[in-house]
Structure formats: structure tokens, C-alpha cells
Amino acid sequence: MSKAESTETTGDGVIQSVSGPVVSARDLDARMNDVVYVGDEGLMGEVIEIEGNITTVQVYEETSGVGPGEPVENTGEPLSVDLGPGMLDAIYDGVQRPLDVLEGKMGSPYLDRGVDAPGIDLEKEWEFEPLVEVGDEVGRGDVVGVVEETVTIDHKVMVPPDALEEDETAEIAAIEAGSFDVTETVAELSDGTEVTMHQEWPVREPRPSANKKTPRTPLVSGQRILDGLFPIAKGGTAAIPGPFGSGKTVTQHQLAKYADADIIVYVGCGERGNEMTEVIEDFPELEDPANGNPLMARTSLIANTSNMPVAARESCIYTGITIAEYYRDMGYDVALMADSTSRWAEAMREISSRLEEMPGEEGYPAYLAARLAQFYERAGYFENVNGTEGSVSAIGAVSPPGGDFSEPVTQNTLRIVKTFWALDADLAERRHFPSINWNESYSLYKNQLDPWFQENVEEDWPEKRQWAVDVLDEETELQEIVQLVGKDALPDDQQLTLEVARYLREAYLQQNAFHPVDTYCPPEKTYLMLTTIETFNDEAFDALEAGVPVEEIIDVESVPRINRIGVQEDYEEYVEELKADITEELRSLY
Amino acid sequence: MKEYQTITEISGPLVYAEVDEAIGYDEIVEIETAQGETLRGQVLESSEGVVAIQVFEGTSGIDQNASVRFLGETMKMPVTEDLLGRVLDGSGRPIDDGPEIVPEERQDIVGAAINPYSREYPEEFIETGVSAIDGMNTLVRGQKLPIFSSSGQPHSELAMQIARQASVPEEEESGDEEGSEFAVIFGAMGITAEEANEFMEDFERTGALERSVVFMNLADDPAVERTVTPRMVLTTAEYLAFEKDYHVLVILTDMTNYCEALREIGAAREEVPGRRGYPGYMYTDLAQLYERAGRIQGREGSVTQIPILTMPGDDDTHPIPDLTGYITEGQIYVDPDLNSQGLQPPVNVLPSLSRLMDDGIGEGLTRADHGGVSDQMYAAYAEGEDLRDLVNIVGREALSERDNKYLDFADAFETEFVDQGFETNRDLEETLEIGWDLLSMLPKEELNRVDEEYIEEYYREDDSEREVVEAAD
């Protein structure tokens, strides 16, 4: 049920019992997943179980004071979102109620109950510009016109995918430019269908697409360790598991800020209120690296913080992915960040245990794996029903209890996603950020993305990456020996490898998210930084071979300047000069 | 108001009664026993015809003849500014023989969630006078920063030190007494009478009681009452902060006892248990407490929380610290090893973290070099810590000169920087200067996390200062 619809109800029932967010009602005529209004205050809920005459409802609001005997009204519609212009630069709760509108309606900074608002402003007028003419043939999902939603994004008005059958077409009977609100008809089809800027879609059902394709373009994030070692594709899936304090949220925020997607949908699922506030305050001021516009102009936020009702936390992931799919249908590349999918799984667990379902592993419901898979399967690189191509990339943070990756949510997620960024508490403790463990992480997109990097950055991108991985691997092995005998006991060449690896770790893999320059590193800079370290490596080994003692090589004055490449704005010049200095200094030793 | 004598079952802290009207979830109940004693409780589950009631004071003395009254409202906390200076029990009733409290308002203790859109992002530095916190894990107004400790550690001393010393530098300068004042609300859950006395003595000795409200649920008070105490505390805090413009520091101790009480109720209700027997909804429940910290746009005051929890077995993967860490904005670790070395306060900065630090420090807020100094000391201390393991195996002689410097740094960091004593109040300037003294023990080139201009400005080129530190070592 979408809030933009009238709230006509059918088949009333009566509350029989209340236990936290779970309410049972009797005599309610309802189907599974129907939206209902519970109690005298009309709290929004969804049908999750039907047994004989008893219907069980999960309620999206606090249920204190609600008691048996109060009415339950059925709307007869599944939980849906309102889709249309106005979703960007907006902040929603888990069932797409705009939080700014709620604040005004409630007149209080606290979230009151029983207040509802449509997901998009129904009265705001948009300047509609037709892209088709009367007489043109259109099929389902076809674009009939655009409105400028924000400075960055043109919102495409489409024939709803359920208005026509798969291969059915219709002629445009009428279409007009002008100012319209989202409920007014902007185009009429020959079969009588009236197209408005407003669509609604049930959140638990994927929007249709024509075809899913293999993703071949990277989602460039401006984060060295991600772009350089473990890239994700546009339309790919990734998981970021890590214990608390390891930097999940900062990584997600960095991606939301700098990933080169057209649209960002950020779902704060059961996380901290202050973190969402940070996004709300920062994003309007931050610049989109692609065009200099405010970041909020491409962002839609869904905030269901940990203290907001648990049932709405269960639904917020679906709300987010449905919005993402809608922009995908317009041909945009959408990136969805979900922080954190563990809270979502816990919400399922909480509801499941109140339903007294038989628990699976660690109390999670037996359908946990299936739900996770369904969610990540809604991501991908698609050919849309209207022939355009668009993608949804899904990046989920995972919060394993005690940082133990063997728990069910992490394990079931890893079975689905193709990129794994493992956060590491040890690295975080020594303030190595982003604290992504390079030994444990992986990306299965690496090979299919290499051609893009070769074409757009440098031909030897894959070789350079492999070189870095090899040095880091060797360091890991050598460190085990160092732990036993000390560094000085190693032969000279191995000591030198350790030194090179140290620069890889400290200069290349570490990146300061809070430094104005270092926070975003374009792939060209990532590449140059790596080649600078390689220059040092090659020159140093040449020197060693020529008989220069390793201590002297390590003490070379110019080399520590590698650590400052990250903060250079004019990095090209800096790198060139540095490479020359390193070469010259090392060669002067022999 | 109807009275029932229809109790059908008594089990642990729960009482089941038959009713013939609709009773709301979370409603307050009074039970009068045959002996004339009145007990209070709350509706945990409400079905047609029967309700489950959780009794705060415990069910002893209740029999099937006891009468049950439903008050028709959810639990409320009577709030007024006059609560400052008062000592209350865990259910909010005065126990200090003071005058009767005339409430200005009665507020629902469950507390609605703050709309994330209405929040204001916390970025005002609170100076605690503790180097390990101010320098390395800065606390800001509206943050929730727990202390992770274990039994037998001086976490209470640290909490008291923070409560005593906490101040906001800008206010001291402007001398703005009229504006927002500082208040401390202390919520004790299941602490021993002895611990309670220590807190009270300290409050009285330093005169802090005047600006404090104390809620005491002691170890021998009913366990179930503990689930209500923090909600009483936070309702009072929100009232003082957002309606009376106070900057409120809330200290909750000990959250472990609170969670034990949750588990007890869950077990009595025969719920499906989650990890280690704690209820599956504990994350949500804790979040509803911790998330009540914060700032609100257009309101002067703030609620800052320092919950204390003792980790069973000093294990931070235990569900209580684990779930807490996922909700709070960082954590401060009190470390038994450092404590046995005599460090005061024994804060282990390596696993400690303040998530809001980066936005609360730096130019215009604290000092421009603050972030760099802190990052550099973290990295250096971590490296020194690692090398200590190696020294145990190969000895110090086998290590390079560079490694030895890091080892010296780690030692000096503990003795000079962390170990300041529970009575010393260091301002930030002093903390950072000590930081630079220590960083100057390392070669300049090693300082790769501090901007060059600050190295120019603060690095001690002169060896003499360094000698002082090393000699003291």
C-alpha cells in the first residue's frame, strides 16, 4: 500500500494480543503482506502470518499502550513505495515516510506514532518535457518525457511496467509539455492508460527487466585499495564485514561520496542516529566529484536507526532496493549501500522469534540465506524493459558478533557476493585505514574489469597490481620469520622487500578519509603511486646488486616522500620529480 | 479503575492475571498483597482475557488473592529542575529525606526515537582533563562513549574523574554562566552499597551533588527494577537537556547488570534465547537506551552518555560489550595489565576509539595538529607494542636502532602520557605538548602522519628535552 493512495480499507478485524512489534488480530480478512492499520491510532503494519481466523501483523511503529479489542483495518494492498520525482535529496524512514515532512507534521524532534505522509510530494509541480510525440508507439517502461529532478539528475517519466503486457505496444494519444504535479496525467495512451509521474511498486517484488548481463565496467570509488586491488563492477555485489570500530561506516560513506555512480541510495539500517545526521549535514555541502554539484542531488537516504521500530528495519532494505531499481529503469547506474545487513537479519530474527518459528542457526530464521540471496540478486547490470542499460550495485556492511566471520550472516552473504572487503580490527587498532585486510579480501570481478582499466588508465594495470599483491604476500611470509628471529637476521634482499612492502602498506593501501585531497584518489593517481613504489623497488635492488649495503639504501632521503603522494593535489609533477630523485640518489650510491 | 483478584500463575518475576477489559501493552500495574504491601509492575504481554505482568520488586509475597490494579497509562517519570541535588531509588522515588518533589511534567519513560532529521551532529569538544581521552579518543557533546572494563578495575574512579573534570573550554572563556549549565545524572544499576557510598562520598566531597541527580538501584534491590532505572535516568536527562538547556552527562553503571535483568525476564517468559541466553531483541533494547544521547537542532542542551560495563571474563566478544560497541560511538578500554602496572587511569588506547573525534578536533575546535599527533602516537605505540613481543624472544640487542626508539616510545607513552593519576586535570594544550615531547623521541622522518608545517612548529629539535623524558623512564 502506498501512502499516496487514499486510505480506503476493507475487512476490519479486532486485536487479540500484543507482544512488542507483533500483533495478532482475529476476523481480519487479509492476504499475506497486506498493509494494515492497527489500533485506534492507526499504526502501520504488514500481515506476516495467517492461521485460521488469526492474522499476525508486524507493526512499523512502537506499540506501547495498544491493547486487545482495538480495531485492525486492512487496506488490501501490499507494502509499496511511491516512485516519482522528489526521491533524491530526500530522507526516509524504513517505510518511505519522509523524515523532514514528519518533523513538520509532528511538530517535535521525536518520532510520534500514527502519523503518515506520502513518499513524494504530491503537490509540488515539475516542468515536464515530452520526448515522444502523439502517434509514437511505446511499450512498457518506455520513456515518454523528462523532468529536472535535481541539478544532476533528469528524472525520466516512464510508462509503468505493469501498464502493458510484455510485447504489447500502444500509441501516444495525447502528450503535452508544462507544469504538472505527480498525480496529473502527462500522457495518454491509445488503450486508455494515463501516464503520470507517479508510480508505485510493491517493495518485495523485483521490478521487471529484459535481461541480466555480465558487468564489465568498474564502479570507481577513488579508494586505492578498492580500485587498485579489489575492484567492484557497476552492477556488482560486495560485502564489508568487520567488528565494531573497524571502519565499515566510513568505508560506506566514502563509497557514497566518491563512487562514480549516477545515483546513490544509502540505507542506514539499524545503525546510529548521529551517523545519519552526519550524512544529512555533510552531503548537501560536499561536491560530486563528477560534476561539482552537491552530493545530495544524486542521493536518496533511508534512515531507520537502531532505536526506531524493528519491523520498519526489516522493510528498509526492500524500500531502498526498489527505489534503486526504479532509477536503474531510467538507464542510470545506481549504487546501493546497506549499513548494516546484520541489523536487517537481526530484525528478521526478532520477528521470527516472536512468531515462535523454529529457529535455524544462532536463532536466525531458516529462511535467512534465501532472503539474503533474494536481496543481492536484485543487483546486477541489466538490460531494461525499455531497451536502456542500467545497473544496481549492492554493497552491504555486515556486523558479525565479536568480529567472527564464521557466523551465519557473514557466511550466507559470502556465498552470494563476488567482492569481499574484510575489515580487520588489528589494522584499525594501529590506525591503518581503510583497515581492509589485503590477505583475506578478494574480488571476483578483477579479470572482467581489467580491459576497462587497461583502456582507460594504463595498459600494464593488471601487471602492476599483481606485482603489488606478490610483494605483500611475500611480506606476510617474511613477517612470520621476523616474529621469530628479528628483522636483522634476514638476508639483505628480504630486508629490502620488507621495506618496499612497508611503503605499499603505509603510502598505497592507507588512505586518509579526512584529508581534503587524499580522501579521493583517481585511478591515474593510484597507478602513479604504485609505479613510484615500483621505481624505488627496482632501483633499490639494482643498488643492492651493485654492492650497496641495505642500511644505506633504506636511509635514502627522498624515499619517505612517497608517503606524501596521497596528499598532493598536483601529483603528476610531484611523482615525476620524486621518481627522478629516488633514481638519482640510489644510483649515486654506486 | 477496576481491581482484579484473578492471578492465575506466578513465575519468577512474572504474574499472569485474567482480565475482562482491554489492557494496553507496557501499561503500569499495581499489585496489593494480602499483607497490604503495594508492588509495581508493567504489562509485558497483553492478550484477550489474560495479561503477563512483570513485577519490579519481585513476586515474593504475592499469592492468588492479591489484587491487581491497572492504572491505564504507561510508566511516567515526574520531572522538574528541582531534581538536581536529589538522590532517588531505581524507580525514581526520593530516598534522601529531602522535601517532596513537585513535578513540572510527567514524561513517558519509554521515550520516542529522535528523528534523525532533527538531530544536530555532535562536534563540540568536551575536555575531560584525561590525556588518554582528550588526546587520543576525544569525547564530544551528544556522544555515547562507554567504558569497557572488567571486575576489579578502577572504572568507577575514571568515571568520577570525568564527571568531576569535564568542561567545555569555550564556556570557561566566555564565563557564560547564564547559558547552558553542566549537569550530571548518575544511574546505578545493581552496584554494591559500598561502591554506591564511594560515589556518594565523592559527589559530596567535590560538591558535585548540587548539579547532579542520582538514581540508585543497588545489588540487593529488585533486579527487574533495573530495566526501568536507565529509562528514568534518560527521561530526566532529556528533560533537563532539551527543555531546560543543560549539558547533561549521563553515567550509567553497570550495564552488565541491566542486561542480566533483561535475560532474567526473557527466561521467565520462556522466550527463545539468543546468544549466551540473552534475548534476541537485546540489540534493539540497548539501542533504545544509547540512542537517547545526542543533540537536537534548535535546542541548547545535549545528552552525553558514558555507560560503564564490566565485560564478563574481560572478553569483548561477549554479547553485552559486543552489541554495545555496535551502537555506541566508540569505547574506552580499561586494561587489567596496565592496571597491575599501576597506571592511573589504566586506559588502553589501542583498542579504544572515539568515532566522533575527527569531527570534534582540529583547527578552530581544539588545535590544528591534534589529529596528526593522535594518529602518529597511535601508530607509534602500536609498533612499539608489537616489538615488545619480539623483545621477549630475541632480546633488545638484536633489534635495530629504529626499533629500540619505538620501544622507548611505547614505554614513555604509558608512563608519561597515560599515567597521570586520578586527581590530575590536564588541559588539552598540556596533553598535546606531552605528545610532542614523546613524538620527538622518534626521528623526524618517521612522523609521516603529521603535516610538515606542524613538525616544523612543534618538533623538539633540541635533544635536551628528550633526555628528560628518557631519564624519567
Side-chain angles (χ1 to χ4, degrees), chain B residues 238-458:
Chain B
E238 282 173 352
Y239 171 79
L240 290 176
F242 302 131
E243 279 166 46
K244 297 291 168 188
D245 296 347
Y246 282 88
H247 288 296
V248 183
L249 179 68
V250 175
I251 297 175
L252 294 170
T253 181
D254 175 334
M255 290 307 293
T256 306
N257 295 334
Y258 171 82
C259 295
E260 299 289 342
L262 273 190
R263 178 162 69 172
E264 191 181 327
I265 296 165
R269 291 177 67 189
E270 296 173 8
E271 291 170 344
V272 182
R275 233 167 28 113
R276 300 221 194 168
Y278 293 96
Y281 50 81
M282 194 158 84
Y283 177 81
T284 307
D285 193 280
L286 286 173
Q288 282 168 352
L289 299 181
Y290 296 141
E291 278 291 333
R292 289 172 82 172
R295 304 211 56 180
I296 292 179
Q297 279 176 33
R299 310 279 170 108
E300 279 297 313
S302 61
V303 176
T304 309
Q305 282 188 29
I306 302 189
I308 299 172
L309 52 92
T310 48
M311 300 184 277
D314 200 27
D315 171 14
D316 64 5
T317 65
H318 185 280
I320 299 172
D322 192 53
L323 296 180
T324 299
Y326 276 123
I327 305 165
T328 55
E329 285 135 356
Q331 64 280 330
I332 303 289
Y333 277 82
V334 169
D335 186 294
D337 287 339
L338 295 181
N339 186 41
S340 63
Q341 283 172 40
L343 261 60
Q344 289 184 338
V347 173
N348 186 356
V349 300
L350 289 181
S352 300
L353 170 74
S354 163
R355 288 167 191 273
L356 301 181
M357 174 171 182
D358 290 299
D359 297 293
I361 61 168
E363 206 163 356
L365 295 160
T366 56
R367 214 170 85 173
D369 60 325
H370 191 164
V373 170
S374 155
D375 281 353
Q376 192 70 58
M377 287 208 284
Y378 259 110
Y381 183 50
E383 181 146 7
E385 239 327 272
D386 276 355
L387 289 165
R388 281 179 181 165
D389 295 339
L390 190 54
V391 170
N392 290 336
I393 303 168
V394 299
R396 236 178 136 131
E397 297 71 31
L399 295 183
S400 66
E401 196 190 337
R402 177 180 177 276
D403 288 352
N404 271 304
K405 281 186 175 150
Y406 275 94
L407 277 169
D408 290 337
F409 175 87
D411 291 342
F413 180 79
E414 285 170 5
T415 54
E416 304 295 312
F417 191 84
V418 178
D419 185 18
Q420 66 181 81
F422 287 118
E423 297 295 329
T424 314
N425 188 355
R426 279 188 193 153
D427 64 21
L428 184 79
E429 197 70 20
E430 197 179 344
T431 294
L432 290 179
E433 288 308 316
I434 296 171
W436 276 107
D437 283 344
L438 296 173
L439 287 180
S440 303
M441 295 167 67
L442 303 172
K444 224 177 187 176
E445 311 77 64
E446 292 285 324
L447 306 185
N448 55 6
R449 311 210 181 197
V450 195
D451 274 353
E452 263 154 357
E453 53 176 309
Y454 306 128
I455 298 182
E456 287 304 313
E457 189 174 347
Y458 297 108

Side-chain angles (χ1 to χ4, degrees), chain A residues 12 34-35 115 140 184 249 272 276 319 360 373 478:
Chain A
D12 290 3
D34 276 358
V35 169
V115 181
R140 58 173 192 161
E184 285 173 292
T249 302
R272 304 176 181 89
M276 293 316 296
T319 302
L478 291 177

Side-chain angles (χ1 to χ4, degrees), chain A residues 93-315:
Chain A
D93 78 350
V95 286
Q96 212 209 6
R97 296 183 304 176
L99 288 169
D100 48 347
V101 176
L102 291 190
E103 184 191 53
K105 272 197 166 181
M106 293 170 181
S108 143
Y110 295 102
L111 287 169
D112 215 345
R113 301 190 304 186
V115 181
D116 214 339
I120 50 176
D121 191 336
L122 301 180
E123 277 149 33
K124 181 167 176 178
E125 298 214 333
W126 302 88
E127 211 51 53
F128 176 75
E129 191 187 316
L131 290 181
V132 292
E133 288 168 11
V134 173
D136 284 356
E137 292 272 316
V138 290
R140 58 173 192 161
D142 279 355
V143 176
V144 297
V146 291
V147 297
E148 189 185 307
E149 183 172 3
T150 64
V151 285
T152 317
I153 297 298
D154 280 338
H155 190 104
K156 298 181 181 149
V157 180
M158 299 173 288
V159 177
D162 49 0
L164 297 168
E165 292 302 315
E166 201 175 326
D167 293 317
E168 197 186 337
T169 57
E171 266 181 36
I172 299 279
I175 190 161
E176 207 182 330
S179 246
F180 298 98
D181 70 31
V182 295
T183 59
E184 285 173 292
T185 306
V186 294
E188 221 180 294
L189 306 188
S190 53
D191 69 344
T193 307
E194 295 183 345
V195 178
T196 65
M197 292 184 230
H198 170 242
Q199 293 187 16
E200 48 182 271
W201 195 263
V203 296
R204 294 183 199 277
E205 192 183 315
R207 282 175 70 86
S209 67
N211 205 353
K212 209 166 177 175
K213 301 176 108 180
T214 308
R216 300 203 183 276
T217 323
L219 183 73
V220 175
S221 63
Q223 310 303 304
R224 284 189 289 272
I225 183 161
L226 305 188
D227 294 343
L229 297 187
F230 311 111
I232 175 177
K234 286 201 173 99
T237 50
I240 317 179
F244 59 79
S246 56
K248 282 183 298 296
T249 302
V250 177
T251 310
Q252 291 274 38
H253 281 193
Q254 287 297 96
L255 284 163
K257 285 176 192 167
Y258 301 115
D260 66 342
D262 301 313
I263 306 277
I264 302 286
V265 179
Y266 193 95
V267 185
C269 175
E271 288 285 311
R272 304 176 181 89
N274 281 333
E275 279 170 3
M276 293 316 296
T277 309
E278 185 185 5
V279 176
I280 299 167
E281 285 187 11
D282 282 1
F283 277 33
E285 281 161 34
L286 288 170
E287 278 182 14
D288 186 335
N291 48 36
N293 295 332
L295 267 181
M296 251 342 252
R298 64 162 192 177
T299 309
S300 188
L301 292 175
I302 294 161
N304 207 84
T305 57
S306 54
N307 56 338
M308 284 159 76
V310 71
R313 197 193 302 164
E314 193 270 335
S315 68

Side-chain angles (χ1 to χ4, degrees), chain A residues 16 18 26 64-65 68 103 270 400, chain B residues 22 25-26 46 48 113 118 283 326:
Chain A
Q16 191 184 39
V18 182
R26 117 179 98 70
S64 294
E103 184 191 53
Chain B
Y25 177 66
D26 267 356
S46 171
E48 247 171 303
S118 310
Y283 177 81
Y326 276 123

